[in-house]
Amino acid sequence: MTTAPASPLPRFPRDFLWGVSTSAAQIEGAVDEDGRGRSAWDVFAEGPGRIKDGSDARTATDHYHRYREDVALIKELGVGAYRFSVAWPRVVPDGSGAVNAAGLDFYDRLVDALLAAGVKPVPTLFHWDTPQALESAGGWLVRDTAEHFAAYADAVAARLGDRVDRWITLNEPAELTLLGYGLGQHAPGRQLVFDALPAAHHQLLGHGLAVQALRARGATGIGIANSHGPTWTASPAEADTAAADLYDLLLNRLFADPLLLGRYPDDGLAALLPGPVADDLKIISQPLDWYGINYYQPTLVGAPDPAATAPADFAGIRLPPELPFAPREIAGYPRTDFGWPVVPGALAELLRSFRERYGASLPPLVITENGCSYDGVDDTERIAFLDGHLRALHDAMDAGADVRGYFVWSLMDNFEWAEGYARRFGLVHIDYATLARTPKASYHWLRDALRDQEAPREGARG
Ligand code: IFM
């Protein structure tokens, strides 16, 4: 058991944006209501053995019907912003073609409720719930999906753009590429390993085309939420450093370099990608107003064991033996219930590495996700996690990192993809039998910490 922090958090800038995050497929439920189409996750979850606890997200936390209660919880928490995602299959049930006005109505009501509560709505346009009709036609492996995504982005901006001033195009294209198309453990369940790379390019292209669509509607606050974490090398041996470098390229640079530098980190890799890649990169690298980082943990990586023949389980992911790198356990740090090491200092390390690599090309940053899975309502471990990461973030900002906001993952417990409901990331506990919401100790801690941020204090920043 970790003890709760005794001293108040250091002061963040007055205009720092505090928020909480969720995503549609993980909380909304109501999958058959008001004309919503099927998503790749609906279909994937029906497959036997795909969701570890045998659950699905048909009801999830029933946010679709309980959003007013959830907005009241956000307001009481005292954060300034709520990051949610818009479900593409709710808005364009077949992924392309007719727009479902009833689907947009839900987000219209949600945005109005947030604004009435004094909370800034921060919609993510795509958080992994690809419309199944598009998935059946190849999903993100095909270029058309990027074009359809831009048309959908335009429809959402047309409806919400008068009240939304901060947009996120995509959430974590790296995970969808790796887990969904590469290893098959997330929807759509494809096991293409390196042949999954077109899904990375088409998501990035979809991002760029969506940026154009949003700009055409007058949007000025556009970002993306990419997952990043430092890659640590298992040893100085050449085989380990080469393996760690490849892992880092695939998880970090493959997604940040095209956006921030207008090029892929490796010419050989770029040559494998489909389409007019050089022209696409111009679309992908249009300037962003801010760049979102989802940070959870560093990864220690070494060369694979040449004798291994069976898949290895690592932090809930099944890794085939043919991968040219192998993540290893990081010893000496506390772990979350998911087994992820808790390393706040690695957030500061990551922010430093971004400044070094991207320099003047780096727009202001927002931590769009950070959080941990722990059971229980008296979650002192989560308090210690958040406290430690916020102190590390503050140190990084003191050292020069231009970070403008921080969003906790997640407002409430929810459907944690292939893990089902077993992993609880929420500040608010969900009783899945009754759907009752109970704020955890961490919710009360964060509420008090945010109130404390507003109290006058000597020598304060901002
Ligand atoms: O729940 C996920 C979220 O959907 C994307 N980022 C990581 C979270 C925790 O695994």
Side-chain angles (χ1 to χ4, degrees), residues 17 71 74-75 78-82 111-121:
L17 191 62
V71 170
I74 297 167
K75 180 180 182 186
V79 289
Y82 174 49
V111 163
D112 283 347
L114 288 165
L115 291 172
V119 176
K120 186 186 279 292

Side-chain angles (χ1 to χ4, degrees), residues 26 127-128 171-172 294 296 340 369 409 416-417 425:
Q26 294 177 273
H127 197 124
W128 302 352
N171 179 74
E172 298 182 0
N294 295 357
Y296 288 90
W340 298 357
E369 286 182 25
W409 183 272
E416 178 57 22
W417 309 112
F425 279 86

Side-chain angles (χ1 to χ4, degrees), residues 324-350:
F325 46 73
R328 311 258 173 93
E329 295 294 339
I330 294 180
Y333 294 93
R335 285 178 184 284
T336 69
D337 285 353
F338 220 145
W340 298 357
V342 179
V343 192
L347 173 58
E349 178 186 335
L350 177 70

Side-chain angles (χ1 to χ4, degrees), residues 280-372:
D280 291 350
L281 280 165
K282 292 188 190 118
I283 298 170
I284 292 168
S285 61
Q286 289 163 87
L288 290 173
D289 302 303
W290 54 278
Y291 185 94
I293 290 182
N294 295 357
Y295 168 73
Y296 288 90
Q297 57 181 320
T299 311
L300 180 68
V301 180
D305 174 359
T309 51
D313 276 330
F314 186 82
I317 301 171
R318 182 149 271 238
L319 300 169
E322 66 267 26
L323 285 183
F325 46 73
R328 311 258 173 93
E329 295 294 339
I330 294 180
Y333 294 93
R335 285 178 184 284
T336 69
D337 285 353
F338 220 145
W340 298 357
V342 179
V343 192
L347 173 58
E349 178 186 335
L350 177 70
L351 294 172
R352 219 170 25 248
S353 72
F354 258 72
R355 288 175 66 207
E356 282 163 13
R357 184 165 181 85
Y358 300 110
S361 306
L362 192 61
L365 300 173
V366 174
I367 306 301
T368 32
E369 286 182 25
N370 180 231
C372 49

Side-chain angles (χ1 to χ4, degrees), residues 14 39 95 133 146 149 156 190 216 248 254 275 279 291 370 387 432 438:
R14 205 176 292 284
S39 82
F149 178 63
V156 179
R190 309 287 301 267
D248 189 64
L254 176 61
D279 290 344
Y291 185 94
N370 180 231
D387 181 85
Y432 288 109
T438 307

